[in-house]
Amino acid sequence: MKLCKKVIDLVPLFVSDDVSPEERLLIQDHIQTCESCNKYLDEVQSIQSAISREKTEAPDGYGSGLVVRLNREIDEKEVRRKILRRAIPAFSAFTVIILFVSVFLMTKINRHDELIAGLDDEELFNDATLTNSFSADLSDVLNISDSPEEYKTVVVRYVLEDSQELSIDRYVMASNTMDESEFETFIKDLKNISL
Amino acid sequence: MEKLKEKRDYDVTFNRLVLDNHQKVYNLLRKFVSTHEEADDLTQETFLKVYKNLPKFRFQSQPSTWIYRIAVNTAINHLRREKIHRFINLENAHGVYEDTSTVPSDESKNILRRAVSQLAPRQQIVVMLRSYQELSFREIAEIMECTENAAKVNFSHALKNLRDIMRKIGVSYETL
């Protein structure tokens, strides 16, 4: 039985003529007496010879056609590689530019947001702050002192002269600096001057 | 200028290698596929690898052995990719012939081809190189980067497995 296993392992090499003379003798002797190993040898021999008969040949002129196709493929690959080699730096530069522009725009947007957030600040709209800031601005623009009388006269004059330098909202804001009686006087004065 | 000359020499060497070896490579790869077009694709794939790796080849061993090795690796990759398809094909073949004791000879050859395709990739390669290409086990070992003994063991197992597959399918060896 042990010999059968050894012979079975050697049979494929026996049929392909790859055994030593000793192994050849061993197999030849064994198959004389072992029917199953003998049958196995027949089967393997048939398969081996069927495979050997299956010859395939490349078609005529295949080699030269193959060389042409390979060279064309290699050239095309080379062109693709060259395009890619140029495209990568261009693409990288484009990406960097886009990145810089994005960062710049983001910074601008952030600054704008901060400004708006600052305007929301309660302190900025505090009456006192607004009044002081506006009076100071107005005094600067109109080149007048902080005297209420002079202030009122000038403001009224500007309103009546339809000066573009003092818009109506500024005028309204100016009125906020007066108490009720002052405002009434102011309006009266305004009417008198208008008439 | 020097670079251009080098490139031209390189291309001449490559074209020479293709012309000298394409027949063997094609014949080997043709055994693993059913159509000429597929064999052609694998042959091209093999020689493109040859072109790419040519600078690394030192010409210390036979170029044909090196090219064979690349072809064998290409074939093994192909066989792995096609494993599922081959499995389905064998199931079909089994279904057709399981109840018949004898089948026409041409059909048997077709089944034999399919049966070969059921073997493990390395076993298929060793059968192809030994039985079709008639290379020695020393050459096969060099191509497959294994020992001569390992190549023989693979071959022995391959033929035993083939005989088992043929029996299972119901193809009589007398019809081959």
Side-chain angles (χ1 to χ4, degrees), chain A residues 8-13 15-18 36 39-40 42-44 46-48 50-59 62-64 66-67 69-71 73-75 77-78 81, chain B residues 7 11 14-15 18-19 22-23 26-27 30-31 36 39-40 43-44 47-48 51 109 112-113 116 127 130-132 134 137 152 155-157 159-160 162-163 166-167 173-174 176:
Chain A
I8 282 171
D9 285 343
L10 285 172
V11 160
L13 300 171
V15 299
S16 67
D17 206 13
D18 290 299
S36 78
K39 193 173 179 215
Y40 181 72
D42 284 347
E43 287 174 322
V44 171
S46 301
I47 291 169
Q48 161 72 4
I51 293 172
S52 306
R53 282 198 304 272
E54 283 276 301
K55 297 284 179 195
T56 51
E57 293 292 321
Y62 178 71
S64 48
L66 180 67
V67 169
R69 276 179 288 130
L70 283 169
N71 281 284
E73 175 85 21
I74 288 162
D75 288 345
K77 274 192 173 179
E78 190 58 36
R81 207 170 26 240
Chain B
K7 165 97 172 75
D11 287 350
F14 171 69
N15 289 344
V18 176
L19 288 170
H22 76 275
Q23 191 71 251
Y26 175 88
N27 291 348
R30 183 68 182 84
K31 304 294 176 194
H36 161 72
D40 181 40
T43 307
Q44 278 199 60
F47 281 109
L48 287 174
Y51 184 83
K109 281 177 192 166
L112 175 66
R113 220 172 293 141
V116 170
V127 168
R130 183 69 194 106
S131 303
Y132 289 124
E134 296 174 353
F137 277 109
K152 284 182 179 175
F155 181 73
S156 186
H157 285 170
L159 283 189
K160 184 181 177 301
L162 266 183
R163 175 256 200 179
M166 298 296 273
R167 270 189 164 193
Y173 70 94
E174 285 107 345
L176 291 172

Side-chain angles (χ1 to χ4, degrees), chain A residues 125-148:
Chain A
F125 288 98
N126 178 299
D127 278 353
T129 314
L130 194 67
T131 306
N132 293 339
S133 144
F134 175 69
S135 302
D137 287 350
L138 198 62
S139 304
D140 281 350
V141 169
L142 303 178
N143 196 21
I144 52 172
S145 69
D146 285 342
S147 144

Side-chain angles (χ1 to χ4, degrees), chain A residues 118-180:
Chain A
L119 286 175
D120 286 343
D121 193 63
E122 223 174 82
E123 204 176 302
L124 194 71
F125 288 98
N126 178 299
D127 278 353
T129 314
L130 194 67
T131 306
N132 293 339
S133 144
F134 175 69
S135 302
D137 287 350
L138 198 62
S139 304
D140 281 350
V141 169
L142 303 178
N143 196 21
I144 52 172
S145 69
D146 285 342
S147 144
E149 281 308 312
E150 190 183 355
Y151 179 82
K152 260 187 256 176
T153 315
V154 173
V155 167
V156 169
R157 183 163 55 79
Y158 268 86
V159 170
L160 293 174
E161 287 173 1
D162 197 22
S163 168
Q164 294 303 306
E165 289 178 49
L166 195 67
S167 59
I168 192 68
D169 56 334
R170 287 273 172 126
Y171 160 71
V172 172
M173 282 166 82
S175 66
N176 287 340
T177 62
M178 307 163 196
D179 60 22
E180 203 174 332

